[in-house]
Amino acid sequence: MFKSIDTLSGKRYQTTQEVVVLVANKNFIQQVRSVIGGLRRVGNWKGDICILSPDLEDGDITAEKCFVVNVSQQDIFSAKYNIYHPFFCPWEAVLYLDCDTMIIKPINRLLNMPSHNKTAQIYAESDRNDSQNIRLQNYFPKAREEDVLRLKNDFRIKSLEIRAFNSGVVSFNPKIIHRSRPNLLNDLDAFREKYSHLSPSEWTDQQAQNFCLFGLWEDVDNYVCYWKLYLHKLLPLEDICILHFFRWHYPWKVYAVHAPSGKSFKNLYQENLEYFKTLTKV
């Protein structure tokens, strides 16, 4: 799944015990740079950052302790599966971030949780739309009764009316997950082949991750949230450190104001991008 690299040699890049992982292609190079700028400027993250990409190169990401690893998948959603590759086992914690996230406070807590937990656990935000949580059954609106039964049997799930997690922000211990799910990468690939016909036209990695990692996730909704919940103060805000702009809202297009700074999210995105330009490799 990786290309042009010894896939068990993550240690050659490692300078810290935790790593933040991003996935992007050249179409999202500005967005990934802005996230890196936010990690360094606001997130107080000084450690390793890995960018998984089919077409970016190290020279595209000039920040210190950042490195690009090329993957074979041109499809970004499938490329995300590589966050579970044993390449990352030298690190004690992985924090994966989508490029439509925005850092608003230090992120260390999200990396400390998997480092200190010795059981197989995925920490992620609840998946939702503007009004409610998404449940497993919502991923497959085309499913017939026999399809639902097959999903339940294949993954030993009693009900599909269970909350789903959003894979845009995921934190975990890579060694423990690999030991718990040694065939996870194959399972994720196979899931799409087996079940994509039940999904709407927009297939993402969400469905496969939720089913293949069923029973392992714990929500971090106190620290990561959908941006509209934050904007309208619909939950406790004091510990929120990452906002997620999913459902086709992007921080680089949002003029709504981030109250603590008095600036629009679009302006904050641009500030992070400008800060990235000050970061150089030693």
Side-chain angles (χ1 to χ4, degrees):
M1 301 177 89
F2 286 28
K3 60 184 182 181
S4 305
I5 193 168
D6 175 357
T7 57
L8 298 179
S9 63
K11 199 164 184 65
R12 81 169 69 159
Y13 298 94
Q14 184 182 22
T15 69
T16 54
Q17 293 303 306
E18 302 87 17
V19 59
V20 175
V21 182
L22 311 171
V23 175
N25 57 28
K26 287 187 175 180
N27 293 330
F28 278 80
I29 188 169
Q30 297 297 86
Q31 287 83 351
V32 80
R33 286 170 174 171
S34 181
V35 173
I36 293 171
L39 285 164
R40 297 292 197 235
R41 186 175 76 93
V42 184
N44 196 32
W45 180 241
K46 299 178 174 62
D48 296 337
I49 299 176
C50 173
I51 301 91
L52 300 176
S53 176
D55 54 8
L56 293 176
E57 300 176 358
D58 263 334
D60 295 314
I61 306 296
T62 56
E64 184 182 2
K65 295 184 181 178
C66 292
F67 58 95
V68 175
V69 173
N70 290 125
V71 296
S72 58
Q73 300 96 330
Q74 297 298 309
D75 167 27
I76 290 299
F77 292 128
S78 298
K80 280 176 64 174
Y81 297 158
N82 289 292
I83 67 176
Y84 301 109
H85 197 284
F87 172 85
F88 292 107
C89 285
W91 286 272
E92 292 182 3
V94 166
L95 172 61
Y96 169 78
L97 300 176
D98 271 356
C99 288
D100 58 356
T101 55
M102 179 169 285
I103 314 299
I104 60 171
K105 284 185 180 178
I107 62 163
N108 303 71
R109 187 175 296 176
L110 290 170
L111 285 159
N112 290 339
M113 286 190 291
S115 296
H116 296 141
N117 189 348
K118 302 308 178 186
T119 60
Q121 197 87 55
I122 297 290
Y123 300 94
E125 62 175 315
S126 299
D127 198 12
R128 61 175 299 113
N129 56 29
D130 285 353
S131 60
Q132 62 187 358
N133 288 325
I134 301 295
R135 302 190 181 277
L136 294 179
Q137 64 187 8
N138 299 133
Y139 289 139
F140 297 108
K142 298 179 182 179
R144 299 166 299 179
E145 186 175 343
E146 55 265 37
D147 298 319
V148 171
L149 182 61
R150 182 184 180 192
L151 282 162
K152 289 179 179 179
N153 290 337
D154 284 356
F155 295 95
R156 299 178 182 178
I157 300 173
K158 292 182 179 179
S159 172
L160 299 190
E161 296 182 5
I162 296 172
R163 275 192 314 156
F165 70 84
N166 189 292
S167 61
V169 179
V170 182
S171 182
F172 59 94
N173 183 313
K175 297 186 193 73
I176 294 175
I177 292 299
H178 183 59
R179 285 201 298 266
S180 173
R181 297 283 198 276
N183 299 314
L184 180 57
L185 290 177
N186 290 333
D187 292 344
L188 290 165
D189 273 336
F191 189 94
R192 180 171 187 169
E193 293 298 319
K194 196 171 183 179
Y195 294 108
S196 62
H197 66 287
L198 302 179
S199 183
S201 57
E202 177 60 36
W203 176 271
T204 73
D205 58 285
Q206 296 271 116
Q207 299 95 329
Q209 288 204 49
N210 267 277
F211 281 85
C212 293
L213 291 163
F214 179 77
L216 298 188
W217 86 277
E218 179 178 320
D219 79 62
V220 287
D221 294 349
N222 288 333
Y223 310 115
V224 182
C225 79
Y226 179 44
W227 74 282
K228 286 190 177 180
L229 297 181
Y230 180 90
L231 184 68
H232 299 298
K233 301 179 181 179
L234 298 179
L235 73 176
L237 304 182
E238 57 270 15
D239 293 324
I240 299 295
C241 57
I242 299 177
L243 300 181
H244 195 184
F245 290 73
F246 57 90
R247 304 293 175 230
W248 316 120
H249 298 285
Y250 300 116
W252 52 93
K253 294 182 178 180
V254 174
Y255 287 92
V257 173
H258 172 247
S261 68
K263 300 175 181 178
S264 72
F265 292 109
K266 180 180 174 73
N267 285 344
L268 293 176
Y269 165 85
Q270 194 62 38
E271 286 184 5
N272 291 335
L273 187 56
E274 292 301 314
Y275 188 80
F276 172 87
K277 297 175 184 179
T278 70
L279 304 172
T280 56
K281 292 185 178 180
V282 175

